[in-house]
Structure formats: structure tokens, C-alpha cells
Amino acid sequence: MVYLGRLSGRRGRAVINGRLAAQGVATVVVLAFLYAAVLLWEQKHYFEEETPVHADIPIIARSPLIFHSNSYRHNQSEKCSRDVSPILFDEWRRSKEVICTSNEVSIEQLKLGRWEYKPTITVFKNIILNHLFDDVNKTNVSCEVFASNSLKNDAGITTMNGPLFRVMLFDASNPYEGFHGVLNIAMVMATLNITNPQLVYMVSKGEMESNTRFPSIVEMLTAFSSLKPIIVELPSSWRLTDNGTAVLNTDQPMITLPYMVDFPFQGTSIMVTKTDKALRGRGIDHHCKSEIFRGATDFIRTNLGIGDDSTDASDVNSTIQVLWSSRGPYCCRAAGTIYTPTRAIDNEQKLVEAVQTSLGSHYNIKTVDFGVNMTTIDSVKAAFKSDIIVGVHGAGLVWSAFMKQHSGLVEMFGGNRGTANRHYHNIASLADIHYRSLMLDRGKGDNLSWNEESVDQIVRKIQSINLKEEPSANEPK
């Protein structure tokens, strides 16, 4: 200030203005540097907050860090970012509450309060149980019940090393409903930064015999760990409750679990939840593109051994591969019985032939029935290798979640399912694929019918999908 005070006149004002301008530039540079530093800190905070927890065995490419891929980030609204980006994992982590501790035993809970039903992850450390299916989710649970240092047991104690996830799938015979639980495994792994967990799949009495999709479900679970899933059949009297007292029988053999995770919210997921931000349930459209969702499906696909070796259909000279999802009768929901789905299409093969003829040689239609003798790997591979999936509303369309970015889904409504069902529109949004829809008329019984106008509609919907373009928020008319 003394120096500036000695300057006067035009020259003085010029010097002062020049120094102030320089100070302004310096201030902007410093602020820009600080802003960049904050962004880098946030990225490190979100993605490298904790050291991964993993079993003491070789890990084969089953890391939750795939959720942090830059290739899936989008410039979208703050509401979408809060609901479908890795920010969600950080929010879940910050909710951690210690329920109790006793010596080496501890119980912690992480609750995602903004989601419908407030899904809760419970982490049990160094507990001891009689059975892997013991119900430990009690309102009045205490760490002392599970403490091993106070137990006298002559029947034997087995220790299971590494993180253990207890998994139950809601309506596992339905691929769409069962997929909620599959996505939740991936999200819990990423939230807790856990790799290669031991999955314990708890199934109801008789499910292994009555559900013909059971082998495919177990196949899906192998994507999450190199450890073979443990299948535990629950006693017929078993019920998941939230009352009563957790009890150990010290006269029976027991199991020590250094790290066990429970997350019994298998009827909901990022596909259908309602939040206080952008996601409003399966009946309302949203247009949020999610690196969490794409990261999870790519993680599963890659670990099932399905790589990206297909022709790029965005090349104008290549043939666009259309996968037609059929809804024919199949065996068996109950052992030995033929199940006939509603909303099958009358004379479906003729419809497919008519659509193929109208599309011409630039498109190739292949028909599959996801309900008939298709394994998880078969289904994921068929979806991933296709450019456009066409099908009537039903659980088979859930496999569109495994399509490449900017692929397309054409959903046909009719019969007992109208356009108010936005399940697959919202999956398409999360997966960043194009979405189109149309209505078919009711046919014989619970079937759907079609005519020449239907063929024209389907063809126009397919042709409107530009595989080179990022999907827009609104479906073209």
C-alpha cells in the first residue's frame, strides 16, 4: 500500500489497474486449482474410501471397482446423479450405525433412508451361530448372544473365513423379480468394498426340486465369486421375522463367522424403488442413465465369460441383429407341468416372417424363448450379441439389461398388461439403450393378435432406432 500510494496520475492508475488485474488472474488460478483438488478428493473419497475386504484366496477379476468406470458417466440432473451414480454408495456408507460391540463381536447397520422400504445392510463381525440359516435379524439382538469367548461347546466349532453373504431371492422363478436380488448383491459388494464373497443361497423347502430355473439362478450367482455358492435349504418352519430373541444352543455344533453380511431387501432394487429424487417406482417413467446399473451388468457378464467379440452393428455396412423374444408354452414351473404364459401372440411365426420381409436384408431376426431351456449364460449372451430386442411385456425382457449401450428395446403391450407398466422403459433408461413401445390387440383367450398395421408399426419402431446415437429422454412417436 505504501508503494501504491507514491504513484499518481495516469501512469499510477495504469500500474494500479495492471497489478489489480494480475491479482485477479492469480485469484482465479488459485480458485480453479482448489476446485480441481476438491474434485480429485471427492473422487478418491467415493471410490477408494476403504481397503477392500476379501477372502484369503486368489481373486479372479471380481472387483466392485468396475462400478467406477469413467465410460458410463453422464451429464444429467442432480436428482438422477443422487439416485443412480456411485454417490449413492457413499451415502449408504455414511449412514453406518454401530448397533452393539462386545469384545471382538460387533454388529453394524447401513440404511439407505431415501429409498422405499429403507433397505438395510447388516454386518456381523466375529459372531457364532448354530446354523447358516439362523435368524439373527432381531429387534432386541445383543452382541453378547454371539460372543464366542463365553461359550463352552463340546460338539465342535467350525470357522468360515472371509466375507459371507446370505442371499435370498424374491420369486426366483421369475427372472425379472429374481434380478432385484442379483443387483443388490453387486450394490452391497460395492458399498462395502468387498471382493470374492462366499455366497450362501438360502432357499425355501422344496424349491430346488420345484423350480426348474434353479440351476440358472445358481449359475448367475457364480458371477460374484470364485467360491462355489453354498445352498442351504430352510426348514419348513423357518420364517424371516423381526421380533423375539436370538438364541444359541450350545449343545449343538456351531459356526464362527468373522464377517457375515445380511441384506434381506430382495423385493426391491434400483430398477423399481421410489426415492425422494428421480426414481418413482415401476409405474412412472424416469430418464436416468446409471453407471451403477451398467457397471453391475457388465461385471456379471464379464465374470460369466461373455466378452465383446461381436461385430459393431453401428457400422452402416453390417447387418443389424434383432432378437425376437417369444412367449410360448414351456416346462415347468411346477415339476412335470407345461406352463402357458399369457400374452402369447397368435400365429407368431408368421408375424416374425412378415416383419423380416418388410425390414429387408439389412436386418436379421432371430427368435428365442427365454423361458425354454435357456441358461443364464445363454440368455446373457443372446442379449449382449443382439442390437435390438423385440418382445411382448414379460419377464424375458429383463435380459435387455445386458445389451450394449445405445442398443434398442421394442416392447409390445396388450391383453392384461397395458402401457402403465414402465418396468422395461426404466431398465432401458438405466442401461442407456433406446426404448420404443406399441400396443397389440387382444386375440384368442389370453393371447394377442396382429394385422398388417401391427407389422408396419413394429417395423417403424425398429427402424427408428439409430444405434450410433445416444438415446434421447423422450420416445419418438
Side-chain angles (χ1 to χ4, degrees):
M1 291 298 293
V2 174
Y3 175 77
L4 290 177
R6 292 176 181 171
L7 299 176
S8 62
R10 182 179 299 174
R11 179 174 175 272
R13 287 193 297 273
V15 171
I16 292 171
N17 290 338
R19 290 183 179 275
L20 289 176
Q23 288 176 356
V25 170
T27 301
V28 170
V29 170
V30 170
L31 289 175
F33 176 79
L34 290 174
Y35 180 68
V38 168
L39 289 180
L40 288 172
W41 179 88
E42 285 184 341
Q43 185 178 44
K44 181 176 180 64
H45 179 61
Y46 288 149
F47 303 153
E48 301 175 9
E49 183 177 9
E50 298 179 2
T51 302
V53 179
H54 58 81
D56 188 20
I57 61 171
I59 297 173
I60 54 172
R62 285 167 166 81
S63 167
L65 297 180
I66 194 169
F67 293 109
H68 309 144
S69 169
N70 286 319
S71 63
Y72 299 138
R73 294 190 184 167
H74 303 281
N75 293 322
Q76 53 187 347
S77 70
E78 184 272 340
K79 286 185 176 182
C80 281
S81 294
R82 284 287 306 277
D83 277 356
V84 301
S85 79
I87 293 173
L88 191 69
F89 298 140
D90 193 61
E91 182 179 341
W92 216 341
R93 293 183 194 117
R94 289 198 305 267
S95 74
K96 183 168 70 175
E97 177 186 1
V98 177
I99 303 302
C100 63
T101 59
S102 176
N103 296 323
E104 295 182 351
V105 177
S106 71
I107 302 175
E108 301 168 346
Q109 287 190 335
L110 297 81
K111 185 175 294 185
L112 196 53
R114 291 192 302 107
W115 276 31
E116 186 180 25
Y117 309 123
K118 296 178 173 55
T120 302
I121 305 168
T122 306
V123 179
F124 301 86
K125 296 179 181 178
N126 298 310
I127 67 168
I128 194 163
L129 303 176
N130 288 127
H131 310 95
L132 286 177
F133 58 74
D134 283 352
D135 184 6
V136 294
N137 295 288
K138 307 292 187 181
T139 52
N140 60 345
V141 71
S142 66
C143 285
E144 287 77 10
V145 173
F146 303 114
S148 58
N149 61 349
S150 61
L151 294 174
K152 303 293 184 182
N153 181 265
D154 297 326
I157 298 178
T158 301
T159 299
M160 297 190 68
N161 293 319
L164 182 143
F165 281 27
R166 300 203 307 180
V167 177
M168 294 184 68
L169 300 181
F170 172 72
D171 192 7
S173 63
N174 181 309
Y176 175 86
E177 300 295 351
F179 198 53
H180 296 310
V182 171
L183 285 174
N184 292 338
I185 295 172
M187 290 192 65
V188 171
M189 285 178 65
T191 300
L192 299 178
N193 210 4
I194 285 176
T195 61
N196 219 54
Q198 173 64 70
L199 299 185
V200 176
Y201 181 25
M202 303 196 298
V203 300
S204 59
K205 186 73 174 177
E207 182 178 341
M208 286 185 283
E209 290 79 21
S210 62
N211 182 3
T212 56
R213 289 198 66 254
F214 187 79
S216 291
I217 297 166
V218 175
E219 185 178 48
M220 177 72 85
L221 297 181
T222 63
F224 296 98
S225 178
S226 63
L227 303 174
K228 185 178 180 180
I230 297 173
I231 312 300
V232 175
E233 189 171 42
L234 301 173
S236 55
S237 59
W238 191 92
R239 294 289 185 275
L240 180 61
T241 58
D242 193 29
N243 51 56
T245 303
V247 177
L248 268 176
N249 186 341
T250 57
D251 295 328
Q252 296 181 7
M254 294 184 290
I255 306 166
T256 298
L257 300 167
Y259 196 105
M260 185 181 85
V261 181
D262 264 7
F263 45 103
F265 45 92
Q266 305 301 353
T268 189
S269 73
I270 194 172
M271 295 194 301
V272 299
T273 192
K274 296 178 182 178
T275 71
D276 63 350
K277 298 296 181 185
L279 306 185
R280 306 306 302 156
R282 68 182 72 194
I284 300 177
D285 284 3
H286 70 73
H287 306 287
C288 299
K289 301 173 182 181
S290 174
E291 61 259 48
I292 290 178
F293 189 83
R294 283 224 62 99
T297 55
D298 277 2
F299 172 80
I300 293 167
R301 173 184 57 78
T302 302
N303 286 328
L304 290 175
I306 303 168
D308 187 3
D309 57 358
S310 62
T311 303
D312 182 4
S314 62
D315 182 346
V316 70
N317 296 315
S318 64
T319 301
I320 294 175
Q321 302 299 322
V322 179
L323 192 67
W324 188 282
S325 175
S326 178
R327 285 177 63 84
Y330 65 90
C331 180
C332 313
R333 277 204 174 177
T337 62
I338 301 296
Y339 175 71
T340 302
T342 57
R343 303 186 303 283
I345 300 176
D346 291 332
N347 300 315
E348 183 177 32
Q349 186 54 40
K350 288 187 177 180
L351 171 59
V352 174
E353 292 169 0
V355 172
Q356 177 68 83
T357 299
S358 295
L359 286 172
S361 59
H362 188 47
Y363 293 83
N364 178 60
I365 300 180
K366 177 183 177 181
T367 301
V368 298
D369 191 331
F370 288 111
V372 180
N373 300 324
M374 288 189 71
T375 65
T376 290
I377 290 178
D378 291 339
S379 300
V380 172
K381 185 180 294 185
F384 182 67
K385 301 298 183 186
S386 66
D387 303 306
I388 298 171
I389 290 180
V390 181
V392 173
H393 174 91
L397 298 187
V398 75
W399 301 106
S400 63
F402 293 95
M403 301 180 78
K404 300 180 186 72
Q405 278 183 290
H406 305 175
S407 300
L409 172 64
V410 179
E411 181 176 14
M412 296 179 287
F413 293 101
N416 62 353
R417 288 294 184 274
T419 56
N421 294 274
R422 309 311 290 168
H423 312 46
Y424 303 106
H425 170 281
N426 291 345
I427 283 181
S429 291
L430 292 169
D432 193 17
I433 64 176
H434 296 273
Y435 176 86
R436 307 288 187 267
S437 65
L438 61 124
M439 285 288 297
L440 294 179
D441 293 331
R442 186 179 291 274
K444 300 175 183 176
D446 293 326
N447 285 4
L448 304 178
S449 66
W450 58 276
N451 52 35
E452 289 185 7
E453 184 180 348
S454 308
V455 175
D456 291 341
Q457 263 195 303
I458 296 168
V459 169
R460 287 199 304 271
K461 296 291 184 179
I462 292 172
Q463 291 176 334
S464 72
I465 295 172
N466 187 337
L467 302 173
K468 289 185 176 181
E469 292 183 352
E470 184 175 354
S472 59
N474 298 310
E475 179 183 357
K477 299 298 183 185

